[in-house]
Amino acid sequence: MAAVRNILFVMYDQLRFDYLGCAGHPHLKTPNFDRLAAMGVRFDRAYVQSPVCGASRMSFYTGRYVSSHGAAYNNYPLKVGELTLGDHLRKAGVQSWLVGKTHMKADAEGMARLGLAPDSVIGARVAECGFDVWDRDDGLWSAGPDGIYDARRSPYNAWLMAQGYPGPNPWQDHANAGVSAEGDILSGWYLLNSGQPANIREQDSETPWLTRRCIDFLGSEAAQAPWLCHLSYIKPHWPYIVPEPWAGLYGPEHVVPPVRDARERQNPHPVYRAFMDNRIGQAFARDEVRAAVIPAYMGLIAQADAEFGRLLDHLEATGRLADTMIVLTSDHGDYLGDHWMGEKDLFHDPSARIPLIVYDPRAAADATRGTVCHALVEAIDLAPTFVQAVGAEVPGHILEGRSLQPWLHGQAPEWRAAVVSEYDWATSPMAADLGVAPRDARLFMVFDGRWKLMHCEGGFRPMLFDLQTDPQELIDLGDSPGHVGQVARMYDLLHAWARRIAQRTTVSDAQVLARRKGAPERVGVLIGVAEAGDVAPDVAALLAGKAQARFV
Amino acid sequence: MAAVRNILFVMYDQLRFDYLGCAGHPHLKTPNFDRLAAMGVRFDRAYVQSPVCGASRMSFYTGRYVSSHGAAYNNYPLKVGELTLGDHLRKAGVQSWLVGKTHMKADAEGMARLGLAPDSVIGARVAECGFDVWDRDDGLWSAGPDGIYDARRSPYNAWLMAQGYPGPNPWQDHANAGVSAEGDILSGWYLLNSGQPANIREQDSETPWLTRRCIDFLGSEAAQAPWLCHLSYIKPHWPYIVPEPWAGLYGPEHVVPPVRDARERQNPHPVYRAFMDNRIGQAFARDEVRAAVIPAYMGLIAQADAEFGRLLDHLEATGRLADTMIVLTSDHGDYLGDHWMGEKDLFHDPSARIPLIVYDPRAAADATRGTVCHALVEAIDLAPTFVQAVGAEVPGHILEGRSLQPWLHGQAPEWRAAVVSEYDWATSPMAADLGVAPRDARLFMVFDGRWKLMHCEGGFRPMLFDLQTDPQELIDLGDSPGHVGQVARMYDLLHAWARRIAQRTTVSDAQVLARRKGAPERVGVLIGVAEAGDVAPDVAALLAGKAQARFV
């Protein structure tokens, strides 16, 4: 099987699984996303390893579960020593480039301990999660009275200033704000301002800028060698605001009704209740908030789709569709008021389920083009898919996901029984309110395609949904006497996963198997040997001093 | 509380918990081990994290469970990035020195990936499990027809040659072999030769040599600064052979009867059966093997005890007993024919339980001197004990053990409900015979002080022992219908452990708690805010462009 030469790994931030035309949204049009789906396979049961940016991305980039890599929340440093996509692909001669967001926090203490200078090639890659940086832009260039959120230099802000946008932070004041008739800034941070058009030229907004940066990369000297390019967009993540013509494209009449039910508020699970009742949940429970936010969110997606089309056209015009794998996905979803929630955090489908489309240019994938695959897929499956696609051996002792290549090539592999996702809410004030210790404020989802269990450390009961009879996940069966057996079965799946071997990353399974054939006696290690007659004559001769070892 | 200045961390290899005078052995005299027990606390329910040298030691040195550090078997490299005792103590100004064995295998691939040169200070410490090497000697300088087991230079062999011992490998031909009247080498590798006196001057054998190397260190310039010295003896690990006068000290009349029962061979657990039936088990089932090996094993311990006395005298004479914590322990035990087994590997007490004596020189420990503590202790408890003893803060997000200091100081802390040990037998030919895949050939022990469960991956039933009614662990209740509830309860303990947070090592619990008080709005991150009136006036002013961020 020929390898693909390049991989274009496109990620959107906070893009719901069902906000694509090809995924069935009744109003939103995404002709270019749909075009990719027609070229490849759309995986419609893909889940993230954690419904929060940082932890989810570290799983995408390491190919490992959150509890394996340890960077369980935003700005938890990824420990020195964790291997990344970049490490695996470089071994196969493929360079990994970043254009956009990673949410990577470097393990500065670990780097100092090992003497890794951040400005060395090795140190920079360790600090940047294995990528070589074309442009890193995490898209959170916010500023408040106490200072700025992200201490890095913003390449996007620098570019905006070079275009003549005024002030110290055009990201905040222009790209993510509207303007009143009187010239006042109408910040996109306020949800009720989301309907305003962003006060920026359309082509200067974040999504077109990153697309151009990617196209610049594609035409560069760097792209002459085989590459993975991680084009990682900021949007449609909040602040929810978009310039015209996208701001006016959709209106309240295109907002689908929220998926929520009064029964969800009756005696809810305490952790779920805490999330519903926080400021975010309360805001998104308001119809006027959804009416303002969701059209902007849809406009941001429409813009992303248009830019994606531009990118596909460029790849086609430059011949790259013939040798480039293209992946479109997101780091998690967005509740948008469903289940009385905003944001992400918990494991209902709007949060933990993601869009995933994979285009494989090779002829072996021709039979599956335009199809939908219902396999239970995890975010960590992409790393081994990429490693296999470029023709390298998948290090199964390090990468915990499974290559999607068999699905892409029309095979029906044996597959996992369930997907697992995790969430560390230990830094949340809600954990303080509920009196949950840092080590106990952790949630686990296990979903087998029908039943979805949420386990909470800290002494809480589980939550359980039956997606066959309750596809909208409105009826929590976690304390249902009739479902004790299902709960136990789901816990069995969770615990088989929890006992997995995750850290034996320095020895491959093949090396283990080779060792089974080892003969310690041949190097003089005799365990359980009673006397000389029990070993081979050459071993006995050597131990009697009548022969010499070959290498001594 | 004043800190201790130094730590002498003495480890024997394969020393059973019950082969000490103070532990009640009916024949073996260990007056110097007993002297330490009178000075400190003897922990009589201490267990290793794995009953095999390499994995157990990596847990001692990292303070982490085997499935957390990943070096699950001998010569599985400890991955770059894992923190060690040396790393933690150096932060407190204490240097960690090695005299003897670690069984450390460096992660050469990981070091190369991060550009760590083995001959740099940082690289050498990474390669040597965090220690500065005074002398490293793993004591397995065997040679066979295909070459040598350990590619390192043997400092002990070099020293023996300098003393005039002939041949390329006096470790094998003299220190670990007898000699016949005709001058033929009688290798100590053969169990039935164990009764022979080793053909070496007593003071030149391994245990006195390492003691002298330690005393050399104690008198060196290096020991002028606070230190931990890991004096890590090779013996009484096989080859079981010792020079006179120790060879003749004990005879078959001092061999205690084996702890075994015909019932153990009736329908045994398949994994247990495989171990019983291997060459080692078969050898130790023979009375003549035990009659030859055990007196030699006892002689090796008697020699170790005498050398330990010499060391205590030296510490006393040099004033070091006043400021030095002293620990005596082992990396695992030795079945010696009990349970139809030789070696270690499984979790019966002769294998997984270890001697552990801790002398704390501080006045706060005066009340506990000479006492025995029955708390459930794990090998990983020593690392935090050491860190606390030198006055540093214990990094509980990295070290998974618990400091023993409260017990040493007469307190009764809340304590763990169970100890856990693990064993990776994936490289064993028995795994091939039983058809067990590399990732499934793993065993777990969980012991709550009464019930001991062994869980086997790969579809096997568990083993269960009730040490209250069956202290010798002869009756396997793993498939007893009357013990289904106990099995389930023990699995609950195992799974609570399996779900533990083990890899969030870059963020402390204190940092997590501090983040709960964070105010994202102060740096301009507004999540779930509907409008300007919902935030503080200074935040609103800034977002309206009417104020500037403090740091932009």
Side-chain angles (χ1 to χ4, degrees):
Chain A
M1 166 97 45
V4 305
R5 184 181 185 278
N6 313 305
I7 298 166
L8 180 63
F9 172 23
V10 181
M11 182 176 284
Y12 297 96
D13 197 320
Q14 202 144 324
L15 175 60
R16 272 176 69 131
F17 77 99
D18 54 354
Y19 271 60
L20 289 77
C22 55
H25 195 284
H27 307 298
L28 179 62
K29 306 284 181 249
T30 56
N32 296 292
F33 294 169
D34 302 357
R35 177 175 160 202
L36 188 73
M39 292 161 60
V41 175
R42 185 165 68 84
F43 293 89
D44 79 338
R45 291 206 296 188
Y47 287 83
V48 286
Q49 262 46 69
S50 185
V52 65
C53 295
S56 173
R57 287 162 180 271
M58 295 309 110
S59 284
F60 273 105
Y61 306 148
T62 63
R64 289 162 59 72
Y65 290 104
V66 170
S67 57
S68 298
H69 62 63
Y73 196 71
N74 291 337
N75 301 319
Y76 282 17
L78 182 72
K79 68 176 78 166
V80 161
E82 278 295 306
L83 284 115
T84 60
L85 254 184
D87 294 311
H88 298 297
L89 292 178
R90 263 189 295 278
K91 288 175 75 169
V94 176
Q95 303 301 311
S96 291
W97 289 90
L98 171 67
V99 181
K101 171 170 180 168
T102 60
H103 224 125
M104 169 69 179
K105 171 88 168 177
D107 176 9
E109 189 175 332
M111 290 180 63
R113 188 173 71 246
L114 296 180
L116 299 177
D119 59 355
S120 66
V121 171
I122 290 174
R125 285 173 175 161
V126 168
E128 293 293 356
C129 202
F131 292 106
D132 289 324
V133 173
W134 188 258
D135 255 324
R136 173 163 177 192
D137 193 289
D138 274 11
L140 266 178
W141 306 114
S142 71
D146 289 355
I148 54 181
Y149 169 80
D150 187 333
R152 271 180 289 268
R153 169 187 165 278
S154 161
Y156 178 61
N157 254 339
W159 182 81
L160 287 181
M161 289 181 213
Q163 306 313 303
Y165 288 91
N169 193 353
W171 176 87
Q172 184 152 286
D173 298 340
H174 287 269
N176 287 286
V179 62
S180 74
E182 298 74 32
D184 290 336
I185 293 173
L186 300 174
S187 175
W189 282 112
Y190 303 126
L191 298 171
L192 293 177
N193 282 347
S194 296
Q196 300 289 332
N199 182 24
I200 191 168
R201 288 185 294 270
E202 196 274 339
Q203 67 267 33
D204 295 347
S205 57
E206 288 169 284
T207 298
W209 177 73
L210 276 171
T211 307
R212 283 195 302 275
R213 293 302 295 145
C214 179
I215 290 174
D216 286 349
F217 164 77
L218 294 174
S220 72
E221 180 69 26
Q224 298 304 305
W227 47 262
L228 173 142
C229 178
H230 181 40
L231 173 57
S232 186
Y233 287 103
I234 313 305
K235 296 296 186 185
H237 190 282
W238 43 256
Y240 305 103
I241 190 164
V242 65
E244 292 292 7
W246 315 108
L249 193 59
Y250 296 104
E253 69 276 20
H254 301 113
V255 174
V256 295
V259 175
R260 66 190 185 207
D261 193 291
R263 285 171 294 180
E264 293 180 288
R265 302 198 65 90
Q266 291 159 8
N267 190 30
H269 189 285
V271 176
Y272 177 36
R273 182 206 305 266
F275 278 90
M276 280 195 287
D277 287 352
N278 72 14
R279 183 168 74 179
I280 305 164
Q282 289 178 345
F284 278 90
R286 294 167 59 183
D287 289 340
E288 66 271 31
V289 166
R290 295 184 78 250
V293 165
I294 293 178
Y297 182 75
M298 293 168 71
L300 286 164
I301 296 169
Q303 182 187 34
D305 177 80
E307 290 295 314
F308 189 73
R310 198 152 68 88
L311 198 58
L312 282 183
D313 290 345
H314 177 85
L315 291 167
E316 189 166 31
T318 52
R320 287 277 82 90
L321 287 186
D323 62 7
T324 302
M325 173 174 274
I326 306 174
V327 170
L328 183 157
T329 191
S330 179
D331 60 346
H332 53 75
D334 190 324
Y335 274 106
L336 292 174
D338 290 352
H339 306 289
W340 311 95
M341 297 271 295
E343 280 275 273
K344 43 262 182 183
D345 306 314
L346 300 185
F347 303 110
H348 299 89
D349 272 6
S351 173
R353 191 172 166 192
I354 48 170
L356 177 62
I357 304 171
V358 182
Y359 162 68
D360 184 334
R362 294 172 289 185
D366 285 350
T368 63
R369 303 197 191 286
T371 63
V372 177
C373 176
H374 306 300
L376 286 171
V377 168
E378 300 184 323
I380 56 176
D381 295 341
L382 286 181
T385 303
F386 295 163
V387 171
Q388 189 173 27
V390 302
E393 195 170 348
V394 175
H397 59 303
I398 303 172
L399 298 179
E400 296 186 279
R402 305 178 62 166
S403 171
L404 299 174
Q405 182 165 300
W407 298 114
L408 296 170
H409 293 181
Q411 297 150 15
E414 275 194 62
W415 204 245
R416 61 171 61 87
V419 293
V420 174
S421 192
E422 304 174 71
Y423 188 66
D424 185 317
W425 57 297
T427 60
S428 153
M430 291 171 281
D433 295 344
L434 286 172
V436 181
R439 308 185 81 75
D440 286 339
R442 293 180 296 131
L443 312 176
F444 298 82
M445 175 196 88
V446 55
F447 173 55
D448 71 355
R450 174 175 176 182
W451 300 92
K452 187 187 280 186
L453 179 97
M454 179 175 93
H455 165 69
C456 307
E457 294 294 324
F460 300 100
R461 69 166 176 87
M463 293 176 80
L464 180 73
F465 297 100
D466 177 0
L467 275 75
Q468 183 170 305
T469 60
D470 173 30
Q472 292 192 314
E473 308 174 87
L474 298 171
I475 304 162
D476 176 9
L477 302 167
D479 57 0
S480 154
H483 292 83
V484 171
Q486 280 302 340
V487 166
R489 193 181 64 80
M490 297 307 289
Y491 267 108
D492 284 349
L493 289 169
L494 177 65
H495 290 144
W497 170 86
R499 297 191 314 261
R500 77 195 181 281
I501 185 167
Q503 303 300 328
R504 197 250 283 144
T505 54
T506 58
V507 182
S508 71
D509 287 14
Q511 288 172 314
V512 167
L513 290 173
R515 281 234 232 162
R516 289 185 181 176
K517 304 196 177 91
E521 287 180 21
R522 305 303 304 171
V523 290
V525 175
L526 280 60
I527 311 178
V529 173
E531 52 198 323
D534 297 343
V535 293
D538 60 344
V539 174
L542 195 141
L543 292 184
K546 301 188 188 309
Q548 290 303 324
R550 193 181 296 165
F551 306 122
V552 171
Chain B
M1 166 97 45
V4 305
R5 185 181 185 278
N6 314 304
I7 298 165
L8 181 62
F9 172 23
V10 181
M11 183 176 284
Y12 298 97
D13 197 320
Q14 203 144 326
L15 175 59
R16 270 175 70 129
F17 78 98
D18 54 354
Y19 270 60
L20 289 77
C22 54
H25 195 284
H27 307 299
L28 178 62
K29 306 285 183 249
T30 55
N32 296 293
F33 294 170
D34 303 356
R35 178 176 159 201
L36 188 73
M39 293 161 61
V41 175
R42 185 164 68 82
F43 293 89
D44 79 337
R45 291 206 297 187
Y47 287 82
V48 287
Q49 261 47 70
S50 185
V52 65
C53 294
S56 173
R57 287 162 181 272
M58 295 309 111
S59 284
F60 273 106
Y61 306 148
T62 62
R64 290 161 59 73
Y65 289 103
V66 170
S67 57
S68 298
H69 63 63
Y73 196 71
N74 292 337
N75 301 321
Y76 282 16
L78 182 71
K79 67 177 79 167
V80 161
E82 278 294 306
L83 283 116
T84 60
L85 253 185
D87 293 311
H88 298 297
L89 293 178
R90 263 191 294 279
K91 286 175 75 169
V94 176
Q95 302 301 310
S96 291
W97 289 91
L98 171 67
V99 182
K101 171 170 179 169
T102 60
H103 224 124
M104 170 69 180
K105 172 88 167 177
D107 175 10
E109 188 174 334
M111 289 180 63
R113 189 174 68 244
L114 295 181
L116 298 178
D119 59 356
S120 66
V121 171
I122 290 174
R125 286 173 175 162
V126 168
E128 293 293 357
C129 202
F131 292 106
D132 289 324
V133 173
W134 189 259
D135 254 325
R136 172 162 177 192
D137 193 289
D138 275 12
L140 266 178
W141 307 115
S142 70
D146 288 355
I148 54 180
Y149 169 80
D150 188 332
R152 269 180 291 268
R153 169 188 166 278
S154 162
Y156 178 61
N157 253 339
W159 182 82
L160 287 180
M161 290 181 211
Q163 307 311 303
Y165 288 92
N169 193 353
W171 176 87
Q172 184 151 286
D173 297 342
H174 288 268
N176 288 286
V179 64
S180 75
E182 297 75 33
D184 290 336
I185 292 173
L186 301 173
S187 176
W189 282 112
Y190 304 126
L191 297 171
L192 292 176
N193 282 347
S194 296
Q196 299 288 333
N199 182 24
I200 193 168
R201 288 183 294 271
E202 194 275 338
Q203 66 269 32
D204 296 347
S205 57
E206 288 168 283
T207 297
W209 177 73
L210 275 172
T211 308
R212 283 195 303 277
R213 292 301 295 144
C214 179
I215 289 174
D216 286 349
F217 163 76
L218 295 175
S220 72
E221 180 70 25
Q224 299 304 304
W227 47 263
L228 174 142
C229 178
H230 182 39
L231 173 57
S232 185
Y233 287 103
I234 314 304
K235 297 295 186 187
H237 190 282
W238 42 257
Y240 305 102
I241 191 164
V242 65
E244 294 290 10
W246 315 108
L249 192 60
Y250 297 103
E253 69 277 20
H254 301 113
V255 174
V256 294
V259 175
R260 65 190 184 204
D261 193 292
R263 285 172 294 181
E264 294 181 286
R265 301 198 65 90
Q266 293 161 7
N267 190 30
H269 188 285
V271 176
Y272 177 36
R273 183 206 305 265
F275 277 90
M276 280 194 288
D277 287 351
N278 72 14
R279 183 167 75 178
I280 305 163
Q282 288 177 346
F284 278 90
R286 294 167 59 184
D287 288 341
E288 66 272 31
V289 166
R290 294 185 79 250
V293 165
I294 293 178
Y297 183 74
M298 293 168 70
L300 285 164
I301 296 168
Q303 182 187 34
D305 177 80
E307 290 295 314
F308 189 73
R310 197 150 68 87
L311 198 58
L312 282 183
D313 291 345
H314 178 85
L315 292 167
E316 188 165 33
T318 52
R320 287 276 82 94
L321 287 187
D323 61 8
T324 303
M325 173 173 276
I326 306 173
V327 170
L328 183 157
T329 191
S330 178
D331 60 345
H332 54 74
D334 190 326
Y335 274 106
L336 292 174
D338 289 352
H339 306 288
W340 312 95
M341 298 271 295
E343 279 276 273
K344 44 265 180 181
D345 305 316
L346 300 185
F347 301 110
H348 299 90
D349 272 6
S351 172
R353 189 172 165 191
I354 48 169
L356 177 62
I357 305 172
V358 181
Y359 162 67
D360 184 333
R362 293 170 290 184
D366 285 350
T368 63
R369 302 196 191 287
T371 63
V372 176
C373 176
H374 307 300
L376 287 171
V377 168
E378 299 185 324
I380 54 175
D381 295 340
L382 286 181
T385 303
F386 296 163
V387 171
Q388 188 173 28
V390 302
E393 195 170 347
V394 175
H397 59 302
I398 304 171
L399 298 178
E400 296 186 280
R402 304 178 61 167
S403 171
L404 300 174
Q405 183 166 299
W407 298 113
L408 297 170
H409 293 182
Q411 297 150 16
E414 275 194 63
W415 203 245
R416 63 171 59 89
V419 294
V420 173
S421 193
E422 303 174 72
Y423 188 65
D424 185 317
W425 58 297
T427 62
S428 155
M430 294 170 281
D433 295 345
L434 287 173
V436 181
R439 309 185 80 74
D440 285 338
R442 293 179 295 132
L443 312 175
F444 298 82
M445 174 196 88
V446 55
F447 174 53
D448 72 355
R450 173 175 177 182
W451 300 93
K452 187 187 280 187
L453 179 97
M454 179 174 91
H455 165 70
C456 308
E457 293 296 322
F460 300 101
R461 70 166 175 88
M463 294 178 77
L464 180 73
F465 297 101
D466 176 0
L467 275 76
Q468 182 170 305
T469 61
D470 173 29
Q472 293 192 313
E473 308 174 86
L474 298 170
I475 305 162
D476 176 9
L477 304 167
D479 57 0
S480 155
H483 292 82
V484 171
Q486 280 302 338
V487 166
R489 193 181 62 83
M490 297 307 289
Y491 267 108
D492 285 347
L493 289 170
L494 177 65
H495 290 145
W497 170 85
R499 297 190 315 260
R500 78 195 180 282
I501 185 167
Q503 303 300 329
R504 193 204 72 204
T505 54
T506 58
V507 182
S508 70
D509 287 15
Q511 288 171 315
V512 167
L513 291 174
R515 281 234 233 161
R516 288 185 181 176
K517 303 197 178 90
E521 285 180 22
R522 306 301 304 171
V523 290
V525 176
L526 280 60
I527 311 179
V529 173
E531 52 198 321
D534 296 343
V535 293
D538 59 343
V539 174
L542 195 141
L543 292 183
K546 301 188 188 308
Q548 290 303 322
R550 193 180 297 165
F551 306 121
V552 171

